[in-house]
Amino acid sequence: MDELEVHRPEGIRLQKVLASAGVGSRRKCEILIERGLVKVNGEVVDQLGVRVNPDEVTIEVKGQRISVDDSKVVVVLNKPAGVVSTMSDPQGRRSLDEFVAEFDERLFHVGRLDAETTGVLLLTNDGELANRLAHPSHGVPKVYVAKVEGRVAKSLCTVLRAGVDLDDGPVRVSACTILDAHDGESLVKVELHEGRNRIVRRMLDKAGHPVIDLVRTDFGPIALGTLQPGQVRRLGREEVGALMKVAGL
């Protein structure tokens, strides 16, 4: 057992840590370990006697990072239109606090969406995770679907991939799809790795297609799914683990 660097005699058995993290029953977790499907700090652990300190290690099951800290809460909100991205607003506008009142933890938002943009907004009590997800250096991808004015040409995506110059610097998308195009309005799906203020609206406006409606459908590995406007959902441990992975934690 001592040949494994991650083993801590005073720690908790790995299968118990996994079971407590919601991976499955104790027996299922033992099978995963025996099959070599569990890594601790990047090291495959296939021995059942291994003990770890869950506060000091990163654990992956089948390549997926697993969150083992019960105190960390991450929720996804489908932010409705007309809600400002602050926890409270001195001007009396609708803010985020009304949607997370059920949580005892003090949550704060990861980045922002402008008041009229809807869709995925993450809130958490994990300051380090929030800072990393929001910091441009980590380039977490964000996907938006925009309803824009006018019929868009196929060349729009080429333009957006090449980059559009804005007052605060150029912006380019990493992916672009024209979902629908009509004379009056069109639907465009774009992926970006940054989050400057109103960046999607400004980019499309500069490209000649002002935004009518805008929804963020994905933030990294977290998708909007069937979440309705105003609904909030606590992320599962595997989802939190996936966020930690893209944040470099």
Side-chain angles (χ1 to χ4, degrees):
M1 194 68 59
D2 292 336
E3 68 271 12
L4 290 175
E5 293 184 6
V6 297
H7 178 63
R8 296 291 181 270
E10 75 285 358
I12 304 171
R13 286 189 182 274
L14 180 57
Q15 56 265 46
K16 183 177 180 181
V17 173
L18 294 175
S20 298
V23 173
S25 67
R26 188 82 62 89
R27 181 53 191 152
K28 177 183 176 181
C29 294
E30 290 175 347
I31 293 173
L32 290 170
I33 293 171
E34 290 175 326
R35 291 179 177 174
L37 298 175
V38 178
K39 288 184 178 181
V40 180
N41 288 352
E43 182 178 4
V44 174
V45 175
D46 56 8
Q47 303 175 40
L48 295 182
V50 172
R51 294 174 176 268
V52 299
N53 183 339
D55 295 329
E56 298 177 349
V57 296
T58 60
I59 301 175
E60 295 177 68
V61 177
K62 299 180 181 178
Q64 176 64 60
R65 173 77 178 267
I66 301 297
S67 173
V68 295
D69 189 345
D70 281 334
S71 68
K72 303 302 185 188
V73 175
V74 185
V75 303
V76 55
L77 164 69
N78 183 349
K79 189 189 82 65
V83 175
V84 294
S85 291
T86 58
M87 297 313 297
S88 61
D89 183 64
Q91 299 179 38
R93 295 171 296 180
R94 293 184 72 191
S95 54
L96 302 175
D97 54 349
E98 70 173 271
F99 302 102
V100 293
E102 65 185 273
F103 296 94
D104 294 330
E105 295 83 3
R106 183 174 178 270
L107 303 179
F108 43 90
H109 48 92
V110 178
R112 297 174 181 269
L113 290 175
D114 66 74
E116 295 311 310
T117 297
T118 64
V120 173
L121 187 65
L122 301 178
L123 299 100
T124 183
N125 64 343
D126 188 335
E128 184 177 8
L129 176 62
N131 289 335
R132 284 175 171 261
L133 289 173
H135 199 280
S137 64
H138 293 283
V140 179
K142 305 167 188 69
V143 179
Y144 299 81
V145 173
K147 180 191 290 185
V148 301
E149 295 180 8
R151 178 187 288 271
V152 298
K154 293 180 180 179
S155 59
L156 175 66
C157 285
T158 302
V159 170
L160 298 182
R161 289 192 186 97
V164 176
D165 289 323
L166 301 176
D167 292 340
D168 54 354
V171 58
R172 60 175 52 88
V173 304
S174 55
C176 175
T177 305
I178 298 173
L179 301 177
D180 201 3
H182 296 285
D183 289 339
E185 59 190 35
S186 303
L187 281 179
V188 182
K189 180 179 180 181
V190 295
E191 178 183 282
L192 298 89
H193 291 256
E194 59 172 291
R196 276 180 276 162
N197 184 42
R198 300 175 67 85
I199 190 72
V200 178
R201 292 180 182 274
R202 293 190 290 133
M203 173 184 65
L204 289 169
D205 185 64
K206 185 68 177 289
H209 294 281
V211 171
I212 301 170
D213 289 309
L214 183 63
V215 56
R216 183 159 68 189
T217 60
D218 302 78
F219 189 114
I222 307 304
L224 190 60
T226 59
L227 205 63
Q228 297 300 303
Q231 286 187 335
V232 65
R233 177 178 68 83
R234 179 169 179 169
L235 299 185
R237 293 176 186 272
E238 289 191 3
E239 292 176 302
V240 175
L243 281 173
M244 295 172 72
K245 192 168 186 178
V246 299
L249 291 172

